[in-house]
Amino acid sequence: ATLSSHVLDVVTGTPARGMQVQLEESVGDDKWQVVLKAVTNSDGRVPKDAFPTFQKDGVYRLTFYTDPYFQSQSPPAKCFYPKATVEFYITPGSHYHVPLLVSPFSYS
């Protein structure tokens, strides 16, 4: 399976460039193993070659570090959600896309 992700800043209507993102795999009993750490590019995307190819079923989560992103904007914005985390299942043989819309006080 393959994975992609795209983050848009709904305050500015632009890609959220420079946001830190972390992918983790569930290893059971609410324990997680970090698979990768990345930063969104100028298009607000995690670079394609950053994600691994997934060879087995699993539960994963992407954590988007929204507070550092909004603090780096001009002017800096206080953020209600310091992180946005999305958990999902992956099954080999498919492509998955995790889009995220963010503002300092919401995400979806």
Side-chain angles (χ1 to χ4, degrees), residues 40-55:
T40 56
N41 63 20
S42 61
D43 195 30
R45 296 179 185 275
V46 175
K48 260 186 185 175
D49 58 352
F51 287 117
T53 300
F54 300 87
Q55 303 294 333

PDB file of all heavy atoms in Angstrom, residues 40-55:
ATOM      1  N   THR A  40       6.243  19.129   5.750  1.00  0.00           N
ATOM      2  CA  THR A  40       5.513  19.369   4.506  1.00  0.00           C
ATOM      3  C   THR A  40       6.297  20.316   3.598  1.00  0.00           C
ATOM      4  O   THR A  40       6.977  21.227   4.062  1.00  0.00           O
ATOM      5  CB  THR A  40       4.112  19.948   4.770  1.00  0.00           C
ATOM      6  OG1 THR A  40       4.224  21.137   5.545  1.00  0.00           O
ATOM      7  CG2 THR A  40       3.224  18.939   5.490  1.00  0.00           C
ATOM      8  N   ASN A  41       6.169  20.070   2.307  1.00  0.00           N
ATOM      9  CA  ASN A  41       6.889  20.882   1.323  1.00  0.00           C
ATOM     10  C   ASN A  41       6.095  22.141   0.965  1.00  0.00           C
ATOM     11  O   ASN A  41       5.073  22.438   1.591  1.00  0.00           O
ATOM     12  CB  ASN A  41       7.232  20.032   0.091  1.00  0.00           C
ATOM     13  CG  ASN A  41       5.999  19.520  -0.628  1.00  0.00           C
ATOM     14  OD1 ASN A  41       4.884  20.036  -0.485  1.00  0.00           O
ATOM     15  ND2 ASN A  41       6.184  18.475  -1.434  1.00  0.00           N
ATOM     16  N   SER A  42       6.535  22.863  -0.045  1.00  0.00           N
ATOM     17  CA  SER A  42       5.901  24.131  -0.420  1.00  0.00           C
ATOM     18  C   SER A  42       4.459  23.952  -0.892  1.00  0.00           C
ATOM     19  O   SER A  42       3.688  24.904  -0.897  1.00  0.00           O
ATOM     20  CB  SER A  42       6.720  24.847  -1.490  1.00  0.00           C
ATOM     21  OG  SER A  42       6.790  24.047  -2.651  1.00  0.00           O
ATOM     22  N   ASP A  43       4.101  22.733  -1.265  1.00  0.00           N
ATOM     23  CA  ASP A  43       2.734  22.432  -1.683  1.00  0.00           C
ATOM     24  C   ASP A  43       1.898  21.890  -0.516  1.00  0.00           C
ATOM     25  O   ASP A  43       0.771  21.448  -0.717  1.00  0.00           O
ATOM     26  CB  ASP A  43       2.765  21.424  -2.836  1.00  0.00           C
ATOM     27  CG  ASP A  43       1.449  21.322  -3.572  1.00  0.00           C
ATOM     28  OD1 ASP A  43       0.711  22.329  -3.637  1.00  0.00           O
ATOM     29  OD2 ASP A  43       1.131  20.227  -4.075  1.00  0.00           O
ATOM     30  N   GLY A  44       2.470  21.886   0.711  1.00  0.00           N
ATOM     31  CA  GLY A  44       1.758  21.385   1.879  1.00  0.00           C
ATOM     32  C   GLY A  44       1.682  19.866   1.934  1.00  0.00           C
ATOM     33  O   GLY A  44       0.899  19.303   2.697  1.00  0.00           O
ATOM     34  N   ARG A  45       2.489  19.201   1.161  1.00  0.00           N
ATOM     35  CA  ARG A  45       2.461  17.734   1.100  1.00  0.00           C
ATOM     36  C   ARG A  45       3.689  17.138   1.790  1.00  0.00           C
ATOM     37  O   ARG A  45       4.768  17.720   1.745  1.00  0.00           O
ATOM     38  CB  ARG A  45       2.443  17.259  -0.354  1.00  0.00           C
ATOM     39  CG  ARG A  45       1.196  17.689  -1.094  1.00  0.00           C
ATOM     40  CD  ARG A  45       1.225  17.223  -2.547  1.00  0.00           C
ATOM     41  NE  ARG A  45       0.088  17.746  -3.280  1.00  0.00           N
ATOM     42  CZ  ARG A  45      -1.122  17.197  -3.317  1.00  0.00           C
ATOM     43  NH1 ARG A  45      -1.340  16.074  -2.659  1.00  0.00           N
ATOM     44  NH2 ARG A  45      -2.088  17.745  -4.003  1.00  0.00           N
ATOM     45  N   VAL A  46       3.480  15.977   2.379  1.00  0.00           N
ATOM     46  CA  VAL A  46       4.621  15.195   2.830  1.00  0.00           C
ATOM     47  C   VAL A  46       5.253  14.654   1.552  1.00  0.00           C
ATOM     48  O   VAL A  46       4.549  14.083   0.708  1.00  0.00           O
ATOM     49  CB  VAL A  46       4.183  14.040   3.761  1.00  0.00           C
ATOM     50  CG1 VAL A  46       5.371  13.163   4.111  1.00  0.00           C
ATOM     51  CG2 VAL A  46       3.522  14.594   5.019  1.00  0.00           C
ATOM     52  N   PRO A  47       6.556  14.849   1.354  1.00  0.00           N
ATOM     53  CA  PRO A  47       7.184  14.368   0.116  1.00  0.00           C
ATOM     54  C   PRO A  47       6.882  12.890  -0.131  1.00  0.00           C
ATOM     55  O   PRO A  47       6.936  12.073   0.790  1.00  0.00           O
ATOM     56  CB  PRO A  47       8.679  14.603   0.366  1.00  0.00           C
ATOM     57  CG  PRO A  47       8.715  15.732   1.358  1.00  0.00           C
ATOM     58  CD  PRO A  47       7.506  15.518   2.236  1.00  0.00           C
ATOM     59  N   LYS A  48       6.532  12.573  -1.386  1.00  0.00           N
ATOM     60  CA  LYS A  48       6.124  11.206  -1.754  1.00  0.00           C
ATOM     61  C   LYS A  48       7.129  10.149  -1.328  1.00  0.00           C
ATOM     62  O   LYS A  48       6.763   9.085  -0.855  1.00  0.00           O
ATOM     63  CB  LYS A  48       5.938  11.109  -3.265  1.00  0.00           C
ATOM     64  CG  LYS A  48       4.538  11.187  -3.718  1.00  0.00           C
ATOM     65  CD  LYS A  48       4.480  10.926  -5.213  1.00  0.00           C
ATOM     66  CE  LYS A  48       3.067  11.138  -5.701  1.00  0.00           C
ATOM     67  NZ  LYS A  48       2.971  11.013  -7.132  1.00  0.00           N
ATOM     68  N   ASP A  49       8.401  10.443  -1.528  1.00  0.00           N
ATOM     69  CA  ASP A  49       9.423   9.431  -1.222  1.00  0.00           C
ATOM     70  C   ASP A  49       9.677   9.273   0.274  1.00  0.00           C
ATOM     71  O   ASP A  49      10.422   8.391   0.687  1.00  0.00           O
ATOM     72  CB  ASP A  49      10.724   9.734  -1.959  1.00  0.00           C
ATOM     73  CG  ASP A  49      11.293  11.107  -1.620  1.00  0.00           C
ATOM     74  OD1 ASP A  49      10.622  11.897  -0.927  1.00  0.00           O
ATOM     75  OD2 ASP A  49      12.423  11.391  -2.054  1.00  0.00           O
ATOM     76  N   ALA A  50       9.039  10.089   1.103  1.00  0.00           N
ATOM     77  CA  ALA A  50       9.228   9.964   2.560  1.00  0.00           C
ATOM     78  C   ALA A  50       8.472   8.770   3.121  1.00  0.00           C
ATOM     79  O   ALA A  50       8.942   8.114   4.052  1.00  0.00           O
ATOM     80  CB  ALA A  50       8.772  11.242   3.260  1.00  0.00           C
ATOM     81  N   PHE A  51       7.290   8.479   2.558  1.00  0.00           N
ATOM     82  CA  PHE A  51       6.478   7.376   3.078  1.00  0.00           C
ATOM     83  C   PHE A  51       7.002   6.032   2.593  1.00  0.00           C
ATOM     84  O   PHE A  51       7.376   5.891   1.429  1.00  0.00           O
ATOM     85  CB  PHE A  51       5.020   7.520   2.645  1.00  0.00           C
ATOM     86  CG  PHE A  51       4.264   8.603   3.352  1.00  0.00           C
ATOM     87  CD1 PHE A  51       3.755   9.675   2.647  1.00  0.00           C
ATOM     88  CD2 PHE A  51       4.052   8.542   4.722  1.00  0.00           C
ATOM     89  CE1 PHE A  51       3.034  10.673   3.287  1.00  0.00           C
ATOM     90  CE2 PHE A  51       3.343   9.542   5.374  1.00  0.00           C
ATOM     91  CZ  PHE A  51       2.835  10.604   4.661  1.00  0.00           C
ATOM     92  N   PRO A  52       6.969   5.025   3.480  1.00  0.00           N
ATOM     93  CA  PRO A  52       7.364   3.683   3.038  1.00  0.00           C
ATOM     94  C   PRO A  52       6.242   3.049   2.218  1.00  0.00           C
ATOM     95  O   PRO A  52       5.121   3.561   2.181  1.00  0.00           O
ATOM     96  CB  PRO A  52       7.538   2.925   4.367  1.00  0.00           C
ATOM     97  CG  PRO A  52       6.553   3.579   5.282  1.00  0.00           C
ATOM     98  CD  PRO A  52       6.573   5.038   4.893  1.00  0.00           C
ATOM     99  N   THR A  53       6.543   1.932   1.580  1.00  0.00           N
ATOM    100  CA  THR A  53       5.514   1.089   0.981  1.00  0.00           C
ATOM    101  C   THR A  53       5.095   0.106   2.061  1.00  0.00           C
ATOM    102  O   THR A  53       5.948  -0.525   2.693  1.00  0.00           O
ATOM    103  CB  THR A  53       6.054   0.342  -0.251  1.00  0.00           C
ATOM    104  OG1 THR A  53       6.484   1.323  -1.199  1.00  0.00           O
ATOM    105  CG2 THR A  53       5.001  -0.548  -0.868  1.00  0.00           C
ATOM    106  N   PHE A  54       3.798  -0.001   2.297  1.00  0.00           N
ATOM    107  CA  PHE A  54       3.286  -0.821   3.394  1.00  0.00           C
ATOM    108  C   PHE A  54       3.035  -2.236   2.898  1.00  0.00           C
ATOM    109  O   PHE A  54       2.297  -2.444   1.938  1.00  0.00           O
ATOM    110  CB  PHE A  54       2.005  -0.202   3.959  1.00  0.00           C
ATOM    111  CG  PHE A  54       2.233   1.187   4.491  1.00  0.00           C
ATOM    112  CD1 PHE A  54       2.156   2.286   3.656  1.00  0.00           C
ATOM    113  CD2 PHE A  54       2.544   1.377   5.826  1.00  0.00           C
ATOM    114  CE1 PHE A  54       2.382   3.576   4.149  1.00  0.00           C
ATOM    115  CE2 PHE A  54       2.770   2.652   6.326  1.00  0.00           C
ATOM    116  CZ  PHE A  54       2.688   3.751   5.479  1.00  0.00           C
ATOM    117  N   GLN A  55       3.660  -3.211   3.569  1.00  0.00           N
ATOM    118  CA  GLN A  55       3.606  -4.606   3.134  1.00  0.00           C
ATOM    119  C   GLN A  55       2.658  -5.472   3.956  1.00  0.00           C
ATOM    120  O   GLN A  55       2.447  -6.628   3.623  1.00  0.00           O
ATOM    121  CB  GLN A  55       5.020  -5.214   3.197  1.00  0.00           C
ATOM    122  CG  GLN A  55       6.043  -4.476   2.379  1.00  0.00           C
ATOM    123  CD  GLN A  55       5.773  -4.544   0.886  1.00  0.00           C
ATOM    124  OE1 GLN A  55       5.156  -5.477   0.400  1.00  0.00           O
ATOM    125  NE2 GLN A  55       6.220  -3.538   0.155  1.00  0.00           N
TER     126      GLN A  55
END
